[in-house]
Amino acid sequence: GPLKPEITITYIAVSAIFFNSGLSLKTEELTSALMHVKLHLFVQIFTLVFFPTAIWLFLQLLSITPINEWLLKGLQTVGCMPPPVSSAVILTKAVGGNEAAAIFNSAFGSFLGIVITPLLLLLFLGSSSSVPFTSIFSQLFMTVVVPLIIGQIVRRYIKDWLERKKPPFGAISSCVLLMIIYTTFCDTFANPNIDLDKFSLIVIVFIIFSVQMSFMFLTFLFSTRSNSSFTPADTVAIIFCSTHKSLTLGIPMLKIVFAGYEHLSLISVPLLIYHPAQILLGSLLVPTIKSWMVSRQKAQKLTRQPKAPVKV
């Protein structure tokens, strides 16, 4: 179509999101985020180990139901995907959480996903095609890392102007993300060979929302334990980064791993539903999570303040 998503989305849109992040993020915050190893391990293990394994166990129960088997396989592909390169960062920023940690885990998870996601797909679903890791890696480097670095460099020269004008970085990223979702939906549902029954589709939508809510609650419980050492801002980044899945990386990976597969469109449907669902659900929860984070931070400040001596 006139939007040319093969160029504007694959290269320009994702690059714009990370250039925007590089421009808006304070360099010292990004540097400090690199050292938060415990948080990064939590996010990556949950996303790339626990998530796909839990979905696989759940699908063993669903396999005896009349739900379309290719949609169920599509649910498994969702579990195998890496963290998103955009939505988790945008929502973490909207809440006021640890944006630097969200950016690091989005970028780092994307690079891990280049190797781990195809292996997980082959493990759980199988495929005879070879995966061109080099081309995916180079594309990710050019669309994620390079724009982020350029954004940080440009920020050094216009830092005063940015702090004075405060451009609407969040709104810009949200608009770009909306375009990504729109073009991907158009690409998939324009396929004349796609055959969906309403029952299976409705059940899959319900399962997707249930999985997201359950996993968000689970990550919240784990990251707020008394011995976790995570701050409220860290918890916000963990909730979004651990439970969100990448559409911009996922669809190209599915097309590569399952190239020429006749049921590729059906397998892609759960991921196409999951992505806008995670943004919709996350957006609805932003005020609640923000309220919790602010109240938790205030409570922590009060407990740290030294008590005034009691006069006798």
Side-chain angles (χ1 to χ4, degrees), residues 249-269:
L249 287 175
I251 294 299
M253 278 190 181
L254 288 180
K255 288 180 178 178
I256 291 167
V257 177
F258 299 105
Y261 206 60
E262 60 177 318
H263 298 290
L264 176 59
S265 293
L266 282 173
I267 290 175
S268 303
V269 167

Side-chain angles (χ1 to χ4, degrees), residues 72-134:
L72 292 180
K73 288 180 183 292
L75 272 179
Q76 185 63 69
T77 66
V78 171
C80 297
M81 291 300 151
V85 294
S86 49
S87 61
V89 176
I90 293 168
L91 290 170
T92 301
K93 185 181 179 68
V95 173
N98 191 339
E99 186 193 355
I103 286 181
F104 178 84
N105 278 285
S106 293
F108 184 58
S110 298
F111 282 107
L112 281 180
I114 297 168
V115 177
I116 295 176
T117 294
L119 293 177
L120 289 173
L121 290 173
L122 297 175
L123 174 67
F124 288 112
L125 298 171
S127 174
S128 58
S129 62
S130 58
V131 183
F133 294 114
T134 307

Side-chain angles (χ1 to χ4, degrees), residues 61-69 71-72 75 195-208 266 269-270 273:
L61 299 174
L62 292 179
S63 61
I64 60 175
T65 66
I67 302 172
N68 187 299
E69 65 170 310
L71 288 180
L72 292 180
L75 272 179
D195 182 25
L196 279 172
D197 63 279
K198 291 180 180 178
F199 169 77
S200 294
L201 187 59
I202 291 170
V203 172
I204 289 294
V205 171
F206 175 76
I207 290 171
I208 284 172
L266 282 173
V269 167
I273 297 171

Side-chain angles (χ1 to χ4, degrees), residues 26 158-170:
K26 294 177 181 177
I158 60 171
K159 184 178 178 180
D160 294 336
W161 180 85
L162 289 173
E163 291 179 355
R164 190 170 62 253
K165 295 293 185 180
K166 298 187 184 303
F169 291 114

Side-chain angles (χ1 to χ4, degrees), residues 5 25 46 142 163 171 181 189 202 255 296 302:
L25 186 67
F46 190 97
M142 294 304 297
E163 291 179 355
I181 295 169
F189 290 103
I202 291 170
K255 288 180 178 178
R296 188 69 178 264
L302 288 173

